Coordinates of all heavy atoms in Angstrom, one line a residue:
M1 N 58.3 57.9 122.5 CA 58.3 58.2 121.0 C 57.0 58.8 120.6 O 56.0 58.5 121.2 CB 58.6 56.9 120.2 CG 59.0 57.2 118.8 SD 60.4 58.3 118.6 CE 60.0 59.0 117.0
A2 N 57.0 59.6 119.6 CA 55.8 60.3 119.2 C 54.8 59.3 118.7 O 55.1 58.3 118.1 CB 56.2 61.3 118.1
Q3 N 53.5 59.6 119.0 CA 52.4 58.8 118.5 C 51.4 59.7 117.7 O 51.3 60.9 118.0 CB 51.6 58.2 119.7 CG 52.4 57.2 120.5 CD 51.7 56.8 121.7 OE1 51.0 57.6 122.3 NE2 51.8 55.5 122.0
Q4 N 50.9 59.1 116.7 CA 49.8 59.9 115.9 C 48.5 59.5 116.5 O 48.1 58.3 116.6 CB 49.9 59.5 114.5 CG 49.1 60.4 113.6 CD 49.3 60.2 112.2 OE1 50.3 59.7 111.8 NE2 48.3 60.5 111.4
M5 N 47.7 60.5 116.9 CA 46.4 60.2 117.5 C 45.4 61.3 117.2 O 45.9 62.5 116.9 CB 46.5 60.0 119.0 CG 47.1 61.2 119.7 SD 47.6 60.8 121.4 CE 49.3 61.2 121.3
K6 N 44.2 61.0 117.2 CA 43.2 62.1 116.9 C 42.8 62.8 118.2 O 42.5 64.0 118.2 CB 41.9 61.4 116.3 CG 42.2 60.9 114.9 CD 41.0 60.5 114.2 CE 41.3 60.2 112.8 NZ 40.3 59.5 112.1
T7 N 42.8 62.1 119.3 CA 42.5 62.8 120.6 C 43.8 62.8 121.4 O 44.4 61.8 121.7 CB 41.4 62.0 121.4 OG1 40.3 61.8 120.5 CG2 41.0 62.7 122.6
P8 N 44.1 64.0 121.9 CA 45.4 64.1 122.7 C 45.3 63.3 124.0 O 44.2 63.1 124.5 CB 45.4 65.6 123.1 CG 44.7 66.3 122.0 CD 43.6 65.3 121.6
K9 N 46.4 62.7 124.4 CA 46.5 61.8 125.5 C 46.1 62.6 126.8 O 45.5 62.0 127.7 CB 47.8 61.2 125.6 CG 48.0 60.2 126.6 CD 49.4 59.5 126.4 CE 49.7 58.4 127.4 NZ 51.0 57.8 127.2
Y10 N 46.7 63.8 126.9 CA 46.5 64.6 128.2 C 45.5 65.7 127.9 O 45.3 66.2 126.8 CB 47.8 65.1 128.7 CG 48.9 64.0 128.9 CD1 49.9 63.8 128.0 CD2 48.8 63.2 130.0 CE1 50.8 62.8 128.2 CE2 49.7 62.2 130.2 CZ 50.7 62.0 129.3 OH 51.6 61.0 129.5
S11 N 45.0 66.3 129.0 CA 44.1 67.4 128.9 C 44.8 68.7 128.8 O 44.2 69.8 128.4 CB 43.1 67.4 130.1 OG 43.8 67.6 131.3
S12 N 46.1 68.8 129.1 CA 46.9 70.0 129.0 C 48.3 69.7 128.6 O 48.8 68.6 128.9 CB 46.8 70.8 130.3 OG 47.5 70.2 131.3
Y13 N 49.0 70.6 128.0 CA 50.3 70.4 127.5 C 51.1 71.7 127.9 O 50.6 72.8 128.0 CB 50.4 70.2 126.0 CG 49.9 68.8 125.7 CD1 48.6 68.5 125.5 CD2 50.8 67.7 125.5 CE1 48.1 67.2 125.3 CE2 50.4 66.5 125.2 CZ 49.0 66.2 125.1 OH 48.6 65.0 124.8
D14 N 52.4 71.5 128.1 CA 53.3 72.7 128.4 C 53.6 73.4 127.1 O 53.8 74.6 127.1 CB 54.6 72.2 129.0 CG 54.3 71.4 130.3 OD1 53.9 72.1 131.3 OD2 54.4 70.2 130.4
I15 N 53.8 72.6 126.0 CA 54.1 73.2 124.7 C 53.2 72.6 123.6 O 53.2 71.3 123.6 CB 55.6 73.1 124.4 CG1 56.4 73.9 125.4 CG2 55.9 73.5 122.9 CD1 57.9 73.9 125.1
V16 N 52.6 73.4 122.8 CA 51.8 72.9 121.7 C 52.5 73.5 120.4 O 52.7 74.7 120.3 CB 50.4 73.4 121.7 CG1 49.6 72.9 120.5 CG2 49.7 72.8 123.0
I17 N 52.9 72.6 119.5 CA 53.6 73.0 118.3 C 52.6 72.8 117.2 O 52.1 71.7 117.0 CB 54.8 72.1 118.0 CG1 55.8 72.3 119.2 CG2 55.4 72.4 116.7 CD1 57.0 71.3 119.2
V18 N 52.3 73.9 116.5 CA 51.4 73.8 115.3 C 52.1 73.6 114.1 O 52.9 74.4 113.6 CB 50.5 75.1 115.2 CG1 49.5 75.0 114.1 CG2 49.7 75.3 116.6
G19 N 51.9 72.4 113.4 CA 52.7 72.0 112.3 C 53.7 71.0 112.6 O 54.6 71.2 113.4
G20 N 53.5 69.8 112.1 CA 54.4 68.7 112.5 C 55.3 68.2 111.4 O 55.8 67.0 111.5
A21 N 55.6 69.0 110.4 CA 56.5 68.6 109.4 C 58.0 68.8 109.9 O 58.2 68.7 111.1 CB 56.3 69.4 108.1
I22 N 58.9 69.1 109.1 CA 60.3 69.0 109.5 C 60.6 69.9 110.7 O 61.3 69.5 111.7 CB 61.3 69.2 108.4 CG1 62.7 68.7 108.7 CG2 61.3 70.7 107.9 CD1 63.6 68.6 107.6
M23 N 60.1 71.2 110.7 CA 60.4 72.1 111.8 C 59.7 71.7 113.0 O 60.3 71.7 114.1 CB 60.1 73.5 111.4 CG 61.0 74.1 110.3 SD 62.7 74.0 110.7 CE 62.9 74.9 112.1
G24 N 58.4 71.4 112.9 CA 57.7 71.1 114.1 C 58.1 69.8 114.7 O 58.3 69.6 116.0
A25 N 58.4 68.8 113.9 CA 58.8 67.5 114.4 C 60.2 67.5 115.0 O 60.4 66.9 116.0 CB 58.8 66.5 113.2
S26 N 61.1 68.3 114.4 CA 62.4 68.4 114.9 C 62.4 69.2 116.2 O 63.1 68.8 117.2 CB 63.4 69.0 113.9 OG 63.1 70.3 113.6
T27 N 61.6 70.2 116.3 CA 61.5 70.9 117.6 C 61.0 70.0 118.7 O 61.5 70.0 119.8 CB 60.5 72.1 117.4 OG1 61.0 73.0 116.4 CG2 60.4 72.9 118.7
A28 N 60.0 69.2 118.4 CA 59.4 68.3 119.4 C 60.4 67.3 119.8 O 60.6 66.9 120.9 CB 58.2 67.6 118.8
W29 N 61.2 66.8 118.8 CA 62.2 65.7 119.1 C 63.3 66.3 120.0 O 63.6 65.6 121.0 CB 62.8 65.2 117.7 CG 63.6 64.0 117.9 CD1 63.3 62.7 117.9 CD2 65.1 64.0 118.2 NE1 64.3 61.9 118.2 CE2 65.4 62.6 118.4 CE3 66.0 65.0 118.3 CZ2 66.8 62.3 118.6 CZ3 67.3 64.6 118.6 CH2 67.7 63.3 118.8
F30 N 63.8 67.5 119.6 CA 64.9 68.0 120.5 C 64.4 68.4 121.9 O 65.1 68.1 122.8 CB 65.5 69.2 119.8 CG 66.5 68.8 118.7 CD1 66.2 68.9 117.4 CD2 67.8 68.3 119.1 CE1 67.1 68.5 116.4 CE2 68.7 67.9 118.1 CZ 68.3 68.0 116.8
L31 N 63.1 68.9 122.0 CA 62.6 69.2 123.3 C 62.5 67.9 124.1 O 62.8 67.8 125.3 CB 61.2 69.8 123.1 CG 61.1 71.3 123.1 CD1 59.7 71.7 122.8 CD2 61.6 71.9 124.4
S32 N 61.9 66.8 123.4 CA 61.7 65.6 124.1 C 63.0 64.9 124.6 O 63.0 64.1 125.5 CB 61.0 64.6 123.2 OG 59.8 65.1 122.8
N33 N 64.1 65.2 123.9 CA 65.4 64.7 124.3 C 66.3 65.6 125.1 O 67.4 65.3 125.4 CB 66.1 64.2 123.0 CG 65.5 63.0 122.4 OD1 65.8 61.9 122.9 ND2 64.6 63.1 121.4
D34 N 65.7 66.7 125.5 CA 66.4 67.7 126.3 C 66.3 67.3 127.8 O 65.2 67.3 128.3 CB 65.9 69.1 126.1 CG 66.7 70.2 126.8 OD1 67.4 69.8 127.8 OD2 66.6 71.3 126.4
K35 N 67.4 66.9 128.4 CA 67.3 66.5 129.8 C 66.8 67.6 130.8 O 66.4 67.3 131.9 CB 68.6 65.9 130.2 CG 69.8 66.8 130.3 CD 71.0 66.1 130.8 CE 72.3 67.0 130.7 NZ 72.2 68.4 131.1
D36 N 66.9 68.8 130.3 CA 66.5 69.9 131.2 C 65.0 70.3 131.0 O 64.5 71.2 131.6 CB 67.3 71.2 130.9 CG 68.8 70.9 131.3 OD1 69.0 70.2 132.3 OD2 69.7 71.5 130.6
F37 N 64.4 69.5 130.1 CA 62.9 69.8 129.9 C 62.1 68.5 130.2 O 62.4 67.5 129.6 CB 62.7 70.2 128.4 CG 61.3 70.4 128.0 CD1 60.6 71.5 128.4 CD2 60.6 69.4 127.3 CE1 59.3 71.7 128.1 CE2 59.3 69.6 127.0 CZ 58.6 70.7 127.4
D38 N 61.2 68.7 131.1 CA 60.4 67.5 131.4 C 58.9 67.7 131.2 O 58.0 67.1 131.8 CB 60.7 67.0 132.8 CG 60.3 68.0 133.9 OD1 59.9 69.1 133.5 OD2 60.3 67.7 135.1
G39 N 58.6 68.7 130.4 CA 57.2 69.1 130.1 C 56.6 68.1 129.0 O 57.2 67.3 128.5
K40 N 55.3 68.4 128.8 CA 54.6 67.6 127.8 C 54.5 68.4 126.5 O 54.2 69.6 126.6 CB 53.2 67.2 128.3 CG 53.2 66.2 129.5 CD 51.9 65.6 129.8 CE 50.9 66.5 130.5 NZ 51.2 66.7 131.9
V41 N 54.7 67.7 125.4 CA 54.7 68.4 124.1 C 53.6 67.8 123.3 O 53.5 66.6 123.2 CB 56.1 68.2 123.4 CG1 56.1 68.9 122.0 CG2 57.2 68.8 124.3
L42 N 52.8 68.6 122.6 CA 51.8 68.2 121.7 C 52.1 68.8 120.3 O 52.3 70.0 120.2 CB 50.4 68.6 122.1 CG 49.3 68.2 121.2 CD1 49.1 66.7 121.2 CD2 48.0 68.9 121.6
V43 N 52.2 68.0 119.3 CA 52.3 68.4 117.9 C 50.9 68.3 117.2 O 50.4 67.2 117.2 CB 53.4 67.6 117.1 CG1 53.5 68.2 115.7 CG2 54.7 67.7 117.8
V44 N 50.5 69.4 116.7 CA 49.1 69.4 116.0 C 49.4 69.7 114.6 O 50.1 70.7 114.2 CB 48.2 70.5 116.6 CG1 46.9 70.6 115.9 CG2 48.1 70.3 118.1
D45 N 48.7 68.9 113.7 CA 48.8 69.2 112.3 C 47.5 69.0 111.6 O 46.8 68.0 112.0 CB 49.9 68.4 111.6 CG 50.3 69.0 110.3 OD1 49.5 69.2 109.3 OD2 51.5 69.4 110.2
R46 N 47.1 69.9 110.7 CA 45.7 69.7 110.1 C 45.8 68.6 109.0 O 44.7 68.2 108.6 CB 45.3 71.1 109.5 CG 46.3 71.5 108.4 CD 45.9 72.9 107.9 NE 47.0 73.4 107.1 CZ 47.1 74.7 106.7 NH1 46.2 75.6 107.0 NH2 48.1 75.1 105.9
D47 N 47.0 68.2 108.6 CA 47.1 67.2 107.6 C 48.0 66.1 108.1 O 49.2 66.2 107.9 CB 47.6 67.8 106.3 CG 47.9 66.8 105.2 OD1 47.4 65.7 105.3 OD2 48.6 67.1 104.3
P48 N 47.5 65.0 108.6 CA 48.3 63.9 109.1 C 49.1 63.2 108.1 O 50.1 62.5 108.4 CB 47.3 63.0 109.8 CG 46.0 63.3 109.2 CD 46.1 64.7 108.8
T49 N 48.8 63.4 106.8 CA 49.6 62.8 105.7 C 50.8 63.6 105.4 O 51.7 63.2 104.7 CB 48.7 62.6 104.5 OG1 48.4 63.8 103.9 CG2 47.4 61.8 104.8
Y50 N 50.8 64.9 105.7 CA 51.8 65.9 105.4 C 52.0 66.1 103.9 O 53.0 66.6 103.4 CB 53.2 65.5 106.0 CG 53.1 65.5 107.5 CD1 53.2 64.3 108.2 CD2 52.9 66.6 108.2 CE1 53.1 64.2 109.6 CE2 52.8 66.6 109.6 CZ 52.9 65.4 110.3 OH 52.8 65.3 111.6
K51 N 51.0 65.6 103.1 CA 51.2 65.6 101.6 C 51.3 67.0 101.0 O 51.9 67.1 100.0 CB 50.1 64.8 100.9 CG 48.8 65.4 101.0 CD 47.8 64.5 100.3 CE 46.4 65.1 100.4 NZ 45.3 64.3 99.9
N52 N 50.8 68.0 101.7 CA 50.8 69.3 101.1 C 51.9 70.2 101.8 O 52.0 71.4 101.5 CB 49.5 70.0 101.3 CG 48.4 69.4 100.5 OD1 48.6 69.1 99.3 ND2 47.2 69.1 101.1
S53 N 52.7 69.6 102.7 CA 53.7 70.4 103.4 C 54.9 70.6 102.4 O 55.1 69.7 101.5 CB 54.2 69.7 104.6 OG 54.8 68.5 104.3
S54 N 55.6 71.6 102.7 CA 56.9 71.8 101.9 C 57.8 70.7 102.1 O 58.6 70.3 101.2 CB 57.6 73.1 102.3 OG 56.8 74.2 101.9
T55 N 57.8 70.2 103.3 CA 58.8 69.1 103.6 C 58.6 67.9 102.7 O 59.6 67.3 102.3 CB 58.5 68.6 105.1 OG1 58.8 69.8 105.9 CG2 59.4 67.5 105.5
M56 N 57.4 67.6 102.3 CA 57.1 66.5 101.4 C 57.6 66.8 100.0 O 57.7 65.8 99.2 CB 55.7 66.1 101.4 CG 55.2 65.4 102.7 SD 56.0 63.8 102.9 CE 55.0 62.8 102.0
H57 N 57.8 68.0 99.6 CA 58.2 68.4 98.3 C 59.7 68.6 98.1 O 60.2 68.7 97.0 CB 57.4 69.6 97.8 CG 55.9 69.4 97.7 ND1 55.1 69.6 98.8 CD2 55.2 68.8 96.8 CE1 53.9 69.3 98.4 NE2 53.9 68.8 97.2
T58 N 60.4 68.8 99.2 CA 61.8 69.1 99.1 C 62.6 67.9 98.6 O 62.2 66.7 98.9 CB 62.3 69.6 100.4 OG1 63.7 69.8 100.2 CG2 62.1 68.7 101.5
N59 N 63.7 68.2 98.0 CA 64.7 67.1 97.7 C 65.7 66.9 98.8 O 66.5 66.1 98.7 CB 65.5 67.5 96.4 CG 64.6 67.7 95.2 OD1 63.7 66.9 95.0 ND2 64.9 68.7 94.4
S60 N 65.5 67.7 99.9 CA 66.4 67.7 101.0 C 67.8 67.8 100.7 O 68.7 67.2 101.3 CB 66.2 66.3 101.8 OG 64.8 66.2 102.2
C61 N 68.1 68.7 99.7 CA 69.5 68.9 99.3 C 70.1 69.9 100.4 O 69.4 70.8 100.9 CB 69.5 69.6 98.0 SG 68.8 68.7 96.7
M62 N 71.3 69.6 100.6 CA 72.1 70.6 101.5 C 73.2 71.1 100.7 O 74.0 70.3 100.1 CB 72.6 69.8 102.7 CG 71.6 69.6 103.7 SD 72.4 69.2 105.3 CE 71.4 67.8 105.7
R63 N 73.3 72.4 100.6 CA 74.4 73.0 99.8 C 75.3 73.9 100.7 O 74.8 74.5 101.7 CB 73.8 73.9 98.7 CG 73.1 73.1 97.6 CD 72.6 74.1 96.6 NE 71.6 75.0 97.1 CZ 70.3 74.8 96.9 NH1 69.9 73.7 96.3 NH2 69.4 75.6 97.5
Q64 N 76.5 73.9 100.4 CA 77.4 74.9 101.1 C 77.6 76.0 100.1 O 78.3 75.8 99.1 CB 78.7 74.2 101.5 CG 79.5 75.1 102.4 CD 80.7 74.4 103.0 OE1 81.0 73.4 102.6 NE2 81.3 75.1 103.9
Q65 N 77.0 77.1 100.4 CA 77.1 78.2 99.5 C 78.2 79.3 99.9 O 78.5 79.4 101.1 CB 75.8 78.9 99.4 CG 74.7 78.0 98.7 CD 73.4 78.7 98.7 OE1 72.8 79.0 99.7 NE2 72.8 78.8 97.5
F66 N 78.6 80.0 99.0 CA 79.6 81.1 99.3 C 80.8 80.6 100.0 O 81.4 81.2 100.8 CB 78.9 82.2 100.0 CG 77.6 82.6 99.5 CD1 76.4 82.5 100.2 CD2 77.5 83.1 98.2 CE1 75.2 82.9 99.7 CE2 76.2 83.4 97.6 CZ 75.1 83.3 98.4
S67 N 81.2 79.3 99.7 CA 82.3 78.8 100.4 C 83.6 78.9 99.6 O 84.7 78.8 100.2 CB 82.1 77.3 100.7 OG 81.7 76.6 99.5
T68 N 83.5 79.1 98.3 CA 84.7 79.2 97.5 C 84.6 80.4 96.6 O 83.5 81.0 96.4 CB 84.9 78.0 96.6 OG1 83.9 78.0 95.6 CG2 84.9 76.7 97.4
E69 N 85.7 80.9 96.1 CA 85.8 82.0 95.3 C 84.9 81.8 94.0 O 84.1 82.7 93.6 CB 87.2 82.3 94.9 CG 87.3 83.7 94.1 CD 88.8 83.9 93.7 OE1 89.7 83.3 94.2 OE2 89.0 84.8 92.9
L70 N 84.9 80.6 93.5 CA 84.1 80.3 92.3 C 82.6 80.4 92.6 O 81.9 81.0 91.9 CB 84.5 78.9 91.7 CG 83.6 78.5 90.5 CD1 83.8 79.4 89.4 CD2 84.0 77.0 90.2
N71 N 82.2 79.8 93.8 CA 80.8 79.9 94.2 C 80.3 81.3 94.3 O 79.2 81.7 93.9 CB 80.6 79.2 95.5 CG 80.2 77.7 95.3 OD1 79.7 77.3 94.3 ND2 80.4 76.9 96.3
V72 N 81.2 82.1 94.9 CA 80.8 83.5 95.1 C 80.7 84.2 93.7 O 79.7 84.9 93.4 CB 81.9 84.3 95.9 CG1 81.6 85.8 95.9 CG2 81.9 83.7 97.3
K73 N 81.6 83.9 92.8 CA 81.6 84.6 91.5 C 80.3 84.2 90.7 O 79.7 85.0 90.1 CB 82.8 84.2 90.7 CG 84.0 85.1 91.1 CD 85.2 84.7 90.2 CE 86.4 85.6 90.7 NZ 87.7 85.2 90.1
I74 N 79.9 82.9 90.7 CA 78.8 82.5 89.9 C 77.5 82.9 90.6 O 76.4 82.8 89.9 CB 78.8 80.9 89.6 CG1 78.7 80.1 90.9 CG2 80.0 80.6 88.8 CD1 78.7 78.6 90.6
S75 N 77.5 83.3 91.8 CA 76.2 83.7 92.5 C 76.0 85.2 92.3 O 74.9 85.7 92.6 CB 76.3 83.4 93.9 OG 77.2 84.1 94.6
V76 N 77.0 85.9 91.8 CA 76.9 87.4 91.6 C 76.2 87.6 90.2 O 76.6 87.1 89.2 CB 78.2 88.0 91.6 CG1 78.1 89.5 91.2 CG2 78.9 87.9 92.9
V77 N 75.1 88.3 90.3 CA 74.3 88.6 89.1 C 74.9 89.7 88.3 O 75.3 90.7 88.8 CB 72.8 88.9 89.4 CG1 72.0 89.1 88.1 CG2 72.2 87.8 90.2
Ligands
FAD1 C1 59.6 72.1 95.8 C2 60.4 72.4 97.0 C3 61.8 72.0 97.0 C4 62.6 72.3 98.1 N1 63.9 71.9 98.2 C5 64.6 72.2 99.2 C6 66.0 71.7 99.3 O1 66.5 71.0 98.4 N2 66.7 71.9 100.4 C7 66.2 72.6 101.5 O2 66.9 72.8 102.4 N3 64.9 73.1 101.4 C8 64.1 72.9 100.3 N4 62.9 73.4 100.3 C9 62.4 74.1 101.5 C10 62.0 73.2 102.6 O3 61.2 72.1 102.1 C11 61.2 74.0 103.6 O4 61.9 75.1 104.0 C12 60.8 73.2 104.8 O5 60.3 71.9 104.5 C13 59.8 73.9 105.7 O6 59.5 73.1 106.7 P1 58.4 73.5 107.8 O7 58.2 72.4 108.8 O8 58.7 74.9 108.3 O9 57.1 73.7 106.9 P2 56.1 72.7 106.1 O10 56.9 71.5 105.6 O11 55.4 73.5 105.1 O12 55.2 72.2 107.2 C14 54.2 73.0 107.8 C15 53.2 72.1 108.5 O13 52.3 72.9 109.2 C16 51.0 72.5 109.0 N5 50.1 73.6 109.2 C17 50.2 74.8 108.6 N6 49.2 75.6 109.1 C18 48.5 74.9 110.0 C19 47.4 75.2 110.9 N7 46.9 76.4 110.9 N8 47.0 74.2 111.7 C20 47.6 73.0 111.8 N9 48.6 72.7 111.0 C21 49.1 73.6 110.1 C22 50.9 71.9 107.6 O14 49.9 71.0 107.4 C23 52.3 71.3 107.4 O15 52.3 69.9 107.7 C24 62.0 73.1 99.2 C25 60.7 73.4 99.2 C26 59.9 73.1 98.1 C27 58.4 73.5 98.1

């Protein structure tokens, strides 16, 4: 499982992901769980609190757009 640390555990990595919010973290997670990948992954972020990332500001809403005739009509300007 991912650990938060100031000094990387290893001296080299196969993949370095810059930005550990939703995209970086999910990329690292999927890579780490890919049975065909056995490399080392490092996630680097300048802000370990993530407080300024978009991820911290989103409502995490998921919408299905353009799925019905009414949705299409109300999205046309
Ligand atoms: C107010 C708001 C509401 C939103 N609502 C929704 C919603 O309802 N539904 C939806 O699907 N999406 C929504 N979004 C969009 C969604 O939040 C973003 O698309 C998503 O969070 C982007 O994730 P990310 O990991 O790409 O970027 P971010 O979350 O921005 O993360 C980028 C990370 O990279 C780090 N970083 C950047 N540059 C460097 C560097 N040079 N060195 C080291 N680290 C660096 C930052 O510190 C940050 O942690 C919303 C966005 C905002 C701002």
